[in-house]
Amino acid sequence: MTTTTPPTATTPPTATPRNAATTHNAATPRDAELERLVRQAPHRFRVLTGDRPTGRLHLGHYFGTLQGRVRLQDAGVDTFVVVADYQVLTDRDVAERLTEHVEDLVLDYLAAGIDPERSTVFAHSALPALNQLLLPFLSLVSVAELGRNPTVKDEIAHSRQASVSGLMFTYPVHQAADILFCKANLVPVGQDQLPHLEVTRTVARRFNERYGQGGAVFPEPEALLSAAPLLLGTDGKKMSKSRGNAIALSDTADETARLIKGARTDAVRRITYDPATRPEVSSLVLLAALCQGRAPHEVAEETGDGGAAALKRTVTEAVNEHFAPLRARRAQYAQDRAYVRQTLRTGNERAAALAEATLTEVRTAMGTLY
Ligand code: TRP
């Protein structure tokens, strides 16, 4: 964990190209292949991923990314998790409650099984080296490229800010620094992050071309998409805290029961799993299935003519049972804020040491080591 370079700093072998037209959340063949390579040789990989501290994580986060991270960590992959506190500066409302959000995020990580002994949890703001990487990286991308990023465009379209800050266009390049400072070669993310991954790959490639003198300073990391299908909120729309349709990891069993009781269903009594035509019912079925480690069709069939009431009972029980240990751990850690802060402090130190080593390499490559 203290070396600058993971044993193989190069990109894992690319045999199956990622299908750019993939719009669903299921893993592509390349993701399946990466999962296999990880199992075979976890030490060839270094993972970096992270979240914006915008509030407590919900079940969508858990099944979409969090569970996968813990699995990678447990498989023996050196794992880095960034608390992306500089990225929330694009949203003033969220940035006002940063300390609280960061503590909540770290609590969710710890509760979910991120182990600070094996994973490095750190914050953007604690790593000045990221800012030092940002400037040379910015010189490697054009303004036109920054303006074309579909995820940034989407965020601007949905922003409640009166104007668009420079950070909105440049944070994906700062994100490249997040990923490249530790030479991560695998980045587990959702679909919306793929444009940022492309920025990272472009920056790495151009840096190597310009300064690498025939070698590679940075790997070109690959995205790893989750195989978990998309979990919708209790209203059948994308699960999101701001929509008020989310079940948080930190919710109690009673709160969970109430939220599921109020979940939208439809008028057809017989329960089936058909996400395209019955999104609300199917998402409830999926939630129970994910918690129980079963196939959604099996859950649907079992509920059958029991209707929405029976389905909701099953889902409530499944969620509360599956998350009981996690919630108990979370409550325990919440009593120990010093441990939460210590987790970040240790992670920050570990990340900073690594970042300094990378920065020295960068300075050497650029001829700025005076
Ligand atoms: N942009 C990510 C999000 O909004 C958070 C993030 C910051 C991230 N840095 C990262 C994700 C590096 C993966 C890798 O969720």
Side-chain angles (χ1 to χ4, degrees):
M1 220 174 269
T2 47
T3 53
T4 322
T5 317
T8 312
T10 52
T11 305
T14 308
T16 314
R18 182 176 294 287
N19 176 8
T22 305
T23 50
H24 57 82
N25 236 33
T28 64
R30 179 60 183 156
D31 295 292
E33 198 171 315
L34 284 168
E35 295 275 359
R36 204 169 46 247
L37 289 167
V38 165
R39 277 196 303 278
Q40 268 170 20
H43 301 294
R44 286 180 60 197
F45 293 89
R46 176 169 283 163
V47 157
L48 181 129
T49 185
D51 303 279
R52 298 177 184 201
T54 57
R56 300 178 171 203
L57 297 182
H58 54 61
L59 304 192
H61 294 123
Y62 180 81
F63 288 112
T65 56
L66 207 44
Q67 196 183 36
R69 278 179 213 175
V70 174
R71 203 167 31 76
L72 288 165
Q73 167 198 274
D74 291 349
V77 179
D78 192 8
T79 301
F80 286 71
V81 184
V82 61
V83 174
D85 56 354
Y86 274 180
Q87 276 189 20
V88 299
L89 301 183
T90 55
D91 180 344
R92 197 177 314 131
D93 300 343
V94 174
E96 271 162 17
R97 295 168 61 195
L98 215 42
T99 314
E100 180 191 331
H101 288 329
V102 168
E103 284 201 357
D104 270 331
L105 186 58
V106 176
L107 275 176
D108 284 332
Y109 289 162
L110 292 170
I114 295 285
D115 173 5
E117 296 287 322
R118 290 177 289 161
S119 291
T120 303
V121 181
F122 68 98
H124 270 159
S125 57
L127 234 57
L130 296 181
N131 303 12
Q132 280 176 279
L133 291 175
L134 176 63
L135 285 189
F137 286 2
L138 277 172
S139 77
L140 299 169
V141 291
S142 70
V143 170
E145 284 171 320
L146 293 175
R148 270 203 297 272
N149 187 311
T151 297
V152 169
K153 280 193 343 223
D154 194 58
E155 280 165 357
I156 290 171
H158 292 100
S159 166
R160 282 164 305 183
Q161 309 295 325
S163 61
V164 182
S165 73
L167 184 60
M168 190 58 115
F169 287 104
T170 50
Y171 84 77
V173 183
H174 187 261
Q175 182 158 332
D178 295 348
I179 297 168
L180 296 177
F181 92 89
C182 67
K183 304 193 178 182
N185 53 10
L186 196 60
V187 185
V189 281
Q191 291 278 352
D192 65 322
Q193 297 296 305
L194 292 181
H196 300 346
L197 238 294
E198 272 319 301
V199 172
T200 303
R201 292 168 61 85
T202 301
V203 165
R205 193 172 55 249
R206 291 181 187 163
F207 188 95
N208 293 339
E209 279 163 12
R210 189 171 300 180
Y211 302 109
Q213 293 169 346
V217 176
F218 294 114
E220 280 184 54
E222 278 198 78
L224 180 64
L225 287 181
S226 161
L230 194 65
L231 192 61
L232 301 175
T234 49
D235 58 356
K237 309 252 164 57
K238 186 181 175 201
M239 194 182 281
S240 119
K241 196 174 124 83
S242 56
R243 278 208 180 88
N245 65 358
I247 302 170
L249 288 178
S250 55
D251 283 341
T252 64
D254 286 348
E255 282 163 344
T256 301
R258 186 178 54 76
L259 288 165
I260 293 172
K261 199 162 182 199
R264 183 184 301 219
T265 53
D266 58 34
V268 182
R269 180 160 184 93
R270 185 170 181 75
I271 299 304
T272 54
Y273 182 65
D274 194 350
T277 57
R278 302 183 71 186
E280 299 94 348
V281 163
S282 299
S283 192
L284 285 171
V285 169
L286 175 64
L287 179 50
L290 287 170
C291 289
Q292 297 175 335
R294 301 164 71 197
H297 287 290
E298 215 178 290
V299 175
E301 226 156 84
E302 209 175 83
T303 317
D305 290 324
L311 176 61
K312 288 179 176 181
R313 272 196 303 278
T314 303
V315 178
T316 303
E317 259 171 50
V319 171
N320 284 341
E321 194 178 313
H322 185 262
F323 287 99
L326 183 155
R327 286 167 167 173
R329 270 198 303 277
R330 197 185 191 285
Q332 205 182 336
Y333 289 127
Q335 299 295 313
D336 192 357
R337 296 275 156 169
Y339 181 70
V340 173
R341 278 193 294 274
Q342 190 54 45
T343 297
L344 263 180
R345 216 171 297 137
T346 310
N348 287 341
E349 276 169 23
R350 226 186 268 153
L354 202 53
E356 275 312 314
T358 301
L359 213 47
T360 302
E361 274 183 73
V362 163
R363 289 188 183 116
T364 307
M366 292 178 69
T368 55
L369 193 64
Y370 311 119

